[in-house]
Amino acid sequence: MLKNYLKIAFRNLWKHKVFSFLNVMGLTVGMSACFLIFMYVSFELSYDAFHTKGDRIYRLVTDIKTPSETINTSVTSWAFAPAIKADFPEVEAVTRVSSGSFLVRKGDIKFQEDKTLFADSTLFKVFDFKMIAGDPKTALKDQLSIVLPQKTAKKYFGDADPIGQTLLLSGDGLPAKVTGVIEDIPENSQIKGEMIVSMVSMTQRFNKGLDDQWGNFGAITYLLLKPGTSATALEKKLPAFLQNRAGKTMKESQMYYKLFLEPMRDVYLHSTRDSEERGSMNNVYIFSAVAVFILLIACINFINLTTARSVERAKEVGVRKVVGARKSLLATQFIAESVLLCLIAFVFSVVLSAVVAPLFNDLAGKTVTTGIFGNVAFLPVMFLAAVLIGVLAGSYPAVVLSSFEPVVVLKGRFTTSVKGILLRKGLVTLQFAISIALIIATIIVYTQMNFMRNRDLGFNKEQMVIVNTEGDPNKESFRQSLMNLAGVKSTSASSSVPGSGNPGAYSEIENKSGDLQIANLDLYFVDFDYIPNFGLKMVAGRPFSREFGTDTTQAMVMNEAAVKLFGYSSPEQAIGRRFRQWGREGKIVGVIKDFHFRSLQETIKPLTMRIEPNGTQLVAVKVEGSKVRGVLAAMEDKWKSVIPNRPFSYYFLDEFFDRQYRAEERFEKLFFNFAVLAIFISCLGLLGLASYSTMQRTKEIGVRKVMGASVGSIVGLLSRDFLKLVVLAFVIASPIAYYGMNKWLQSFAYRTDIYLWIFAVAAGLSFAIAFLTVSFQSIKAALMNPVKSLRSE
């Protein structure tokens, strides 16, 4: 029996090649898109899930309340970790990590390792980074001991054993001993580094006494709780711990801390605090919904295309019923054909997913999958999904086809029920409602990204080359050497440039009442040329000037946001006010217009600037656009002559600043591509319904042509009903898309509006797409010879 089912199924599929191809193609594309999205969602949800003790690992985070604001930060004071381990027996282990950067040399090999991590010796007790060589208990115990991932070890030592060998760190050439090699850190880990240096190197050598500094924040701290320990109960004990350990510090500084525990596995997708890498649970939900929609559209498309062939197979069913075929056997036959199509589509989708996996990784910006065969666990799920889709999608056509009355269909007077017509129209309306919603959403995403790219940021980032000198003693000599290069317009030195991040500084600024108000303010160390070099605008007072000798030690410039923080109604009122900040005292000499030194997802924060030559390591060089290549080559020559011990590296500020929006840009690209796939599959479904309708009205078309109807009038007649469905789909989709995208835009501090023209464009696109799809079949029917359609009754 099974052999007979398969034989008939293959015969029918081969007989109707075009319909079979459209069915298989629609399902293949839909299943492939669904599987790729499923892998993306699974990857996002898997962050830090490889740690076997992950359910007991918590990140310790801090709220810092000052008289001016409350700062929600992901870091802790350096002293918190050792004190918590000593005071709470329910804590099994504590470890801290902090980012750093080192010039690393081995013979003639030298690299600037910007992705360096400092970590406590307990790192491998808390986390499951697999040690290949070395002892995980002692690898990070001593000063200047380092652990390398395999890739980094290969870079410096090739195939030789790196354990016990020495690398020279920083410009001073500090000898660091390799004490361990670990497997390359997985992509889905928040803790990443090209090199791990022992934390005691930081706390006992580079910055002695750091472990005792309760007011110095900069460490990311993780706690491993003992089995059975309640994180909620421990969190309730932390206020008393802070009061006991840091009460005096908090009172003196008027900065009060509050500690919270974030589950390690929730940090990537759910934490709202700053992180090196952060995902979006909203994006996970959105892509999950898109995957479901695409699969739903593919199933609807399958039903419509299969039902569209029902007229052609009506007589076949009638003949088979006359010769004794039971309804159940016919239904089984059609379901078997449906499942067979789905299994063929499954095989093609596996191949297609494997082929496009590298492209998908590029779109996602990370190695989500090494290929469908690299995720073997997905294959059984994919197979079962294909069978289920086949059964569900084939059930309705099977019931319809097996219910034909043989007497009626053999006479050639078969018509479908009103319910069947309404169902198919309803399915196509649902398809296009989803597609139109995706079109609207795609336009809004593009509009927001375009808004962010083109918004006036308040500073000049074009043709600006940034060179990180890493604080080299010859940095000022290098900057001076660039001034006479052809194509260099201006230069400046600073601790930060927009988009690079900057430290928060404990500050006391005179407020409107004349009191010194405490606040934690962002701080840029700059030189005299920074403000004009970046095109920053003064709104009150003056910029830093070499004409004023006290500017190097007693002058501050702040932005408009800082002026508002201290209660001044105008920038002019802040000029001449006192400040204390990090051991310096003086007066505010100028106020600059607010500029976006962080992402547009954040409001502009209060910012201060001071002249501090020893704190500037970034050299910003403004170059002429037509001479960029020559200037870069000349800059490298100057670098090699002035700072020969360090590798020369640079970046363009506009590209660097725009990296903040990489996640949104990837979201835009992924969303656009999947929206196009959904629309494509919807068109196949509409083509199926148009084909079905045309077959039903073949004789009507023939009669109209005989009576003199033109091709245009017939095309209009056949298209009118389908365009009504698109109108209905647009009415359904518009409010849903508006609501969803308005929620998405709320995550941006600066965002575009949802304009009426967006819906007009979406409506025009959907009508154009629908008309082109339907007119293909309508024109074909209108050009048909009426003799062929009228010769049989």
mmCIF file of all heavy atoms in Angstrom, residues 640-658:
data_model
loop_
_atom_site.group_PDB
_atom_site.id
_atom_site.type_symbol
_atom_site.label_atom_id
_atom_site.label_comp_id
_atom_site.label_asym_id
_atom_site.label_seq_id
_atom_site.Cartn_x
_atom_site.Cartn_y
_atom_site.Cartn_z
ATOM 1 N N LYS A 640 57.104 55.295 13.187
ATOM 2 C CA LYS A 640 58.239 54.379 13.268
ATOM 3 C C LYS A 640 59.521 55.094 13.709
ATOM 4 O O LYS A 640 60.388 54.478 14.328
ATOM 5 C CB LYS A 640 58.452 53.701 11.915
ATOM 6 C CG LYS A 640 57.368 52.678 11.582
ATOM 7 C CD LYS A 640 57.590 52.058 10.202
ATOM 8 C CE LYS A 640 56.509 51.018 9.894
ATOM 9 N NZ LYS A 640 56.663 50.436 8.538
ATOM 10 N N SER A 641 59.622 56.354 13.398
ATOM 11 C CA SER A 641 60.826 57.081 13.795
ATOM 12 C C SER A 641 60.730 57.621 15.226
ATOM 13 O O SER A 641 61.746 57.727 15.915
ATOM 14 C CB SER A 641 61.082 58.236 12.822
ATOM 15 O OG SER A 641 60.033 59.182 12.881
ATOM 16 N N VAL A 642 59.515 57.943 15.699
ATOM 17 C CA VAL A 642 59.351 58.538 17.038
ATOM 18 C C VAL A 642 59.004 57.486 18.083
ATOM 19 O O VAL A 642 59.503 57.524 19.213
ATOM 20 C CB VAL A 642 58.260 59.639 16.998
ATOM 21 C CG1 VAL A 642 58.050 60.248 18.389
ATOM 22 C CG2 VAL A 642 58.629 60.733 15.997
ATOM 23 N N ILE A 643 58.121 56.517 17.723
ATOM 24 C CA ILE A 643 57.695 55.474 18.668
ATOM 25 C C ILE A 643 57.919 54.104 18.016
ATOM 26 O O ILE A 643 56.970 53.416 17.613
ATOM 27 C CB ILE A 643 56.204 55.652 19.064
ATOM 28 C CG1 ILE A 643 55.928 57.101 19.473
ATOM 29 C CG2 ILE A 643 55.815 54.704 20.200
ATOM 30 C CD1 ILE A 643 54.485 57.390 19.826
ATOM 31 N N PRO A 644 59.173 53.705 17.853
ATOM 32 C CA PRO A 644 59.475 52.482 17.089
ATOM 33 C C PRO A 644 59.107 51.187 17.803
ATOM 34 O O PRO A 644 58.987 50.144 17.144
ATOM 35 C CB PRO A 644 60.989 52.584 16.876
ATOM 36 C CG PRO A 644 61.473 53.384 18.054
ATOM 37 C CD PRO A 644 60.393 54.373 18.346
ATOM 38 N N ASN A 645 58.941 51.216 19.118
ATOM 39 C CA ASN A 645 58.716 49.975 19.859
ATOM 40 C C ASN A 645 57.255 49.495 19.843
ATOM 41 O O ASN A 645 56.953 48.400 20.310
ATOM 42 C CB ASN A 645 59.156 50.143 21.316
ATOM 43 C CG ASN A 645 60.661 50.308 21.433
ATOM 44 O OD1 ASN A 645 61.411 49.744 20.640
ATOM 45 N ND2 ASN A 645 61.094 51.094 22.406
ATOM 46 N N ARG A 646 56.369 50.331 19.329
ATOM 47 C CA ARG A 646 54.955 49.964 19.310
ATOM 48 C C ARG A 646 54.451 49.807 17.874
ATOM 49 O O ARG A 646 54.885 50.540 16.980
ATOM 50 C CB ARG A 646 54.101 51.030 20.014
ATOM 51 C CG ARG A 646 54.368 51.143 21.502
ATOM 52 C CD ARG A 646 53.463 52.199 22.140
ATOM 53 N NE ARG A 646 53.713 52.296 23.574
ATOM 54 C CZ ARG A 646 53.119 51.535 24.486
ATOM 55 N NH1 ARG A 646 52.237 50.624 24.095
ATOM 56 N NH2 ARG A 646 53.395 51.660 25.767
ATOM 57 N N PRO A 647 53.519 48.873 17.650
ATOM 58 C CA PRO A 647 52.935 48.746 16.307
ATOM 59 C C PRO A 647 52.037 49.941 16.017
ATOM 60 O O PRO A 647 51.347 50.445 16.914
ATOM 61 C CB PRO A 647 52.124 47.445 16.392
ATOM 62 C CG PRO A 647 51.835 47.262 17.847
ATOM 63 C CD PRO A 647 53.001 47.850 18.582
ATOM 64 N N PHE A 648 52.056 50.403 14.797
ATOM 65 C CA PHE A 648 51.232 51.552 14.393
ATOM 66 C C PHE A 648 49.833 51.061 14.046
ATOM 67 O O PHE A 648 49.644 50.157 13.233
ATOM 68 C CB PHE A 648 51.856 52.241 13.174
ATOM 69 C CG PHE A 648 51.023 53.368 12.626
ATOM 70 C CD1 PHE A 648 50.901 54.549 13.335
ATOM 71 C CD2 PHE A 648 50.355 53.237 11.410
ATOM 72 C CE1 PHE A 648 50.132 55.607 12.828
ATOM 73 C CE2 PHE A 648 49.600 54.279 10.898
ATOM 74 C CZ PHE A 648 49.484 55.474 11.609
ATOM 75 N N SER A 649 48.843 51.642 14.666
ATOM 76 C CA SER A 649 47.458 51.306 14.349
ATOM 77 C C SER A 649 46.614 52.561 14.464
ATOM 78 O O SER A 649 46.945 53.479 15.225
ATOM 79 C CB SER A 649 46.919 50.216 15.278
ATOM 80 O OG SER A 649 46.864 50.663 16.616
ATOM 81 N N TYR A 650 45.546 52.608 13.710
ATOM 82 C CA TYR A 650 44.691 53.794 13.674
ATOM 83 C C TYR A 650 43.264 53.358 13.338
ATOM 84 O O TYR A 650 43.002 52.211 12.940
ATOM 85 C CB TYR A 650 45.198 54.784 12.621
ATOM 86 C CG TYR A 650 45.105 54.239 11.208
ATOM 87 C CD1 TYR A 650 43.948 54.435 10.440
ATOM 88 C CD2 TYR A 650 46.147 53.504 10.650
ATOM 89 C CE1 TYR A 650 43.846 53.907 9.170
ATOM 90 C CE2 TYR A 650 46.052 52.981 9.376
ATOM 91 C CZ TYR A 650 44.900 53.182 8.636
ATOM 92 O OH TYR A 650 44.786 52.649 7.387
ATOM 93 N N TYR A 651 42.341 54.286 13.489
ATOM 94 C CA TYR A 651 40.973 54.057 13.023
ATOM 95 C C TYR A 651 40.350 55.401 12.676
ATOM 96 O O TYR A 651 40.811 56.458 13.130
ATOM 97 C CB TYR A 651 40.132 53.317 14.055
ATOM 98 C CG TYR A 651 40.026 53.972 15.417
ATOM 99 C CD1 TYR A 651 39.081 54.955 15.683
ATOM 100 C CD2 TYR A 651 40.879 53.600 16.463
ATOM 101 C CE1 TYR A 651 38.983 55.554 16.933
ATOM 102 C CE2 TYR A 651 40.786 54.187 17.720
ATOM 103 C CZ TYR A 651 39.833 55.162 17.950
ATOM 104 O OH TYR A 651 39.737 55.754 19.184
ATOM 105 N N PHE A 652 39.321 55.348 11.849
ATOM 106 C CA PHE A 652 38.597 56.561 11.490
ATOM 107 C C PHE A 652 37.454 56.765 12.479
ATOM 108 O O PHE A 652 36.701 55.838 12.774
ATOM 109 C CB PHE A 652 38.062 56.465 10.064
ATOM 110 C CG PHE A 652 39.126 56.570 9.009
ATOM 111 C CD1 PHE A 652 39.684 55.426 8.457
ATOM 112 C CD2 PHE A 652 39.587 57.810 8.582
ATOM 113 C CE1 PHE A 652 40.672 55.509 7.499
ATOM 114 C CE2 PHE A 652 40.583 57.902 7.624
ATOM 115 C CZ PHE A 652 41.126 56.757 7.081
ATOM 116 N N LEU A 653 37.326 57.975 12.967
ATOM 117 C CA LEU A 653 36.356 58.252 14.023
ATOM 118 C C LEU A 653 34.927 57.988 13.580
ATOM 119 O O LEU A 653 34.126 57.459 14.365
ATOM 120 C CB LEU A 653 36.486 59.712 14.490
ATOM 121 C CG LEU A 653 35.544 60.123 15.629
ATOM 122 C CD1 LEU A 653 35.802 59.273 16.869
ATOM 123 C CD2 LEU A 653 35.704 61.601 15.948
ATOM 124 N N ASP A 654 34.575 58.319 12.339
ATOM 125 C CA ASP A 654 33.193 58.121 11.907
ATOM 126 C C ASP A 654 32.834 56.635 11.929
ATOM 127 O O ASP A 654 31.745 56.248 12.375
ATOM 128 C CB ASP A 654 32.951 58.719 10.521
ATOM 129 C CG ASP A 654 33.930 58.222 9.469
ATOM 130 O OD1 ASP A 654 34.908 57.535 9.826
ATOM 131 O OD2 ASP A 654 33.721 58.513 8.270
ATOM 132 N N GLU A 655 33.758 55.773 11.483
ATOM 133 C CA GLU A 655 33.506 54.337 11.508
ATOM 134 C C GLU A 655 33.460 53.828 12.950
ATOM 135 O O GLU A 655 32.614 53.003 13.300
ATOM 136 C CB GLU A 655 34.589 53.595 10.723
ATOM 137 C CG GLU A 655 34.596 53.915 9.226
ATOM 138 C CD GLU A 655 35.734 53.223 8.506
ATOM 139 O OE1 GLU A 655 36.526 52.519 9.181
ATOM 140 O OE2 GLU A 655 35.840 53.386 7.281
ATOM 141 N N PHE A 656 34.371 54.319 13.777
ATOM 142 C CA PHE A 656 34.435 53.886 15.166
ATOM 143 C C PHE A 656 33.170 54.279 15.922
ATOM 144 O O PHE A 656 32.597 53.479 16.668
ATOM 145 C CB PHE A 656 35.663 54.510 15.833
ATOM 146 C CG PHE A 656 35.819 54.160 17.288
ATOM 147 C CD1 PHE A 656 36.338 52.935 17.666
ATOM 148 C CD2 PHE A 656 35.434 55.052 18.275
ATOM 149 C CE1 PHE A 656 36.476 52.610 19.010
ATOM 150 C CE2 PHE A 656 35.574 54.736 19.616
ATOM 151 C CZ PHE A 656 36.100 53.511 19.987
ATOM 152 N N PHE A 657 32.715 55.517 15.725
ATOM 153 C CA PHE A 657 31.520 55.976 16.424
ATOM 154 C C PHE A 657 30.300 55.176 15.985
ATOM 155 O O PHE A 657 29.439 54.825 16.795
ATOM 156 C CB PHE A 657 31.299 57.465 16.143
ATOM 157 C CG PHE A 657 30.211 58.082 16.989
ATOM 158 C CD1 PHE A 657 30.474 58.528 18.273
ATOM 159 C CD2 PHE A 657 28.922 58.208 16.499
ATOM 160 C CE1 PHE A 657 29.476 59.087 19.059
ATOM 161 C CE2 PHE A 657 27.917 58.773 17.270
ATOM 162 C CZ PHE A 657 28.195 59.209 18.555
ATOM 163 N N ASP A 658 30.233 54.871 14.693
ATOM 164 C CA ASP A 658 29.072 54.140 14.169
ATOM 165 C C ASP A 658 29.042 52.686 14.623
ATOM 166 O O ASP A 658 28.016 52.015 14.464
ATOM 167 C CB ASP A 658 29.058 54.214 12.633
ATOM 168 C CG ASP A 658 28.748 55.619 12.133
ATOM 169 O OD1 ASP A 658 28.253 56.432 12.938
ATOM 170 O OD2 ASP A 658 29.022 55.911 10.953
#
